């Protein structure tokens, strides 16, 4: 089903999507800031042309969303399952309290991506950021996987890893990443030089086994956006994990 949504408010638009019970594939054109699109949906494939508003795919429970533009704040807020693909950049707090599913961002993410991300049993949420991430990445992360690749940072669009294993020229995350992290794993393409991490995490260079663990994730990301997965894997990576399940003891309690 094709919907021109330029002049629809978000409540009317979401109602139309939900009422289209027989249409499992929905294409929205002219999207301009409508909020809460596809919130809680399970079994639809939604393609969006234009810029969706805050909380795209909030509480998503199995549906697939693909956006051919940027997106605003709180993409995938508390999502449980499904996938969100963004052919552009996103705002702040992507994947807030995310507990399942995958978010793939071709370009940059704002502040607090992956805050309170968590995992439970076989549910392991995944977020891949193709460009850079803002400050407080992975704040209070309790589970799941975050990958930041730092692609095309010079703006030329030419850094596609054609045989180049060099790290990006500047830090690919902002200030205070992994503050309060007590679960999950963060992967950064390149070294951690110039990035200030809290004391409650372990920062080390990735080993082959670490990259094996995210190979399928890298393949999927590259398949969506046209990057060379083998060349990306040949880059240097840094792995960040918590060194304690009780980071608050180190932050607030004197030994």
């Amino acid at each position: 089903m094709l919907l021109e949504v330029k002049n629809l408010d978000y409540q009317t638009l979401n109602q139309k999507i939900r009422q289209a019970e027989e249409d499992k594939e929905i294409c929205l054109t002219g999207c301009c800031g409508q909020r809460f699109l596809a919130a809680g949906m399970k079994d639809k494939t939604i393609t969006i042309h234009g810029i969706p508003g805050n909380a795209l795919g909030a509480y998503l429970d199995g549906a697939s969303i693909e956006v051919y533009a940027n997106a605003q704040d709180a993409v995938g807020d508390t999502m449980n399952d499904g996938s969100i693909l963004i052919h552009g950049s996103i705002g702040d707090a992507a994947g807030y309290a995310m507990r399942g599913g995958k978010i793939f961002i071709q370009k940059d993410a704002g502040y607090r991506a992956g805050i309170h991300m968590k995992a439970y049993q076989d549910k392991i949420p995944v977020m891949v950021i193709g460009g850079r991430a803002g400050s407080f990445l992975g704040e209070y992360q309790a589970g799941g996987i975050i990958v930041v690749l730092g692609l095309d940072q010079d703006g030329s669009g030419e850094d596609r890893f054609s045989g180049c294993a060099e790290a990006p020229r500047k830090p690919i995350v902002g200030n205070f990443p992994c503050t309060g992290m007590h679960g999950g794993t963060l992967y950064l393409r390149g070294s951690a030089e110039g990035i200030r991490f809290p004391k409650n995490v372990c920062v080390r260079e990735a080993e082959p086994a670490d990259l094996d663990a995210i190979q399928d994730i890298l393949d999927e990301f590259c398949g969506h956006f046209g990057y060379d997965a083998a060349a990306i894997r040949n880059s240097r990576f840094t792995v960040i994990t918590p060194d304690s399940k009780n980071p608050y003891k180190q932050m607030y309690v004197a030994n």
Side-chain angles (χ1 to χ4, degrees), residues 98-120:
M98 180 183 180
R99 57 200 183 203
K102 298 175 183 177
I103 300 176
F104 294 109
I105 303 123
Q106 184 176 15
K107 296 183 180 179
D108 300 331
Y111 293 167
R112 288 189 160 92
I115 179 174
H116 287 297
M117 180 185 283
K118 60 198 70 177
Y120 179 70

Side-chain angles (χ1 to χ4, degrees), residues 195-228:
I195 302 172
R196 296 178 62 183
F197 290 95
K199 295 180 180 180
N200 60 284
V201 299
C202 175
V203 181
R204 61 179 175 81
E205 185 167 351
E207 300 177 353
D210 297 310
L211 297 182
D212 288 344
I214 61 168
Q215 185 62 59
D216 290 345
I217 296 170
L218 293 177
D219 288 344
E220 189 171 355
F221 175 87
C222 292
H224 290 311
F225 300 120
Y227 290 98
D228 185 338

Side-chain angles (χ1 to χ4, degrees), residues 73-79 90-100 103 105 109-119 125-129 133-148 175-186 248:
D73 297 341
V75 170
D77 184 344
T78 324
M79 70 181 287
I90 59 173
D92 299 337
Y96 177 90
M98 180 183 180
R99 57 200 183 203
I103 300 176
I105 303 123
Y111 293 167
R112 288 189 160 92
I115 179 174
H116 287 297
M117 180 185 283
K118 60 198 70 177
V126 171
M127 180 186 300
V128 182
I129 300 166
S135 297
F136 300 101
L137 173 70
E139 187 178 29
Y140 304 116
Q141 185 180 351
I145 297 169
I146 301 174
V147 182
V148 185
N175 298 319
F176 315 115
C178 304
T179 300
M181 181 185 193
H182 55 285
T185 309
L186 171 63
Y248 308 103

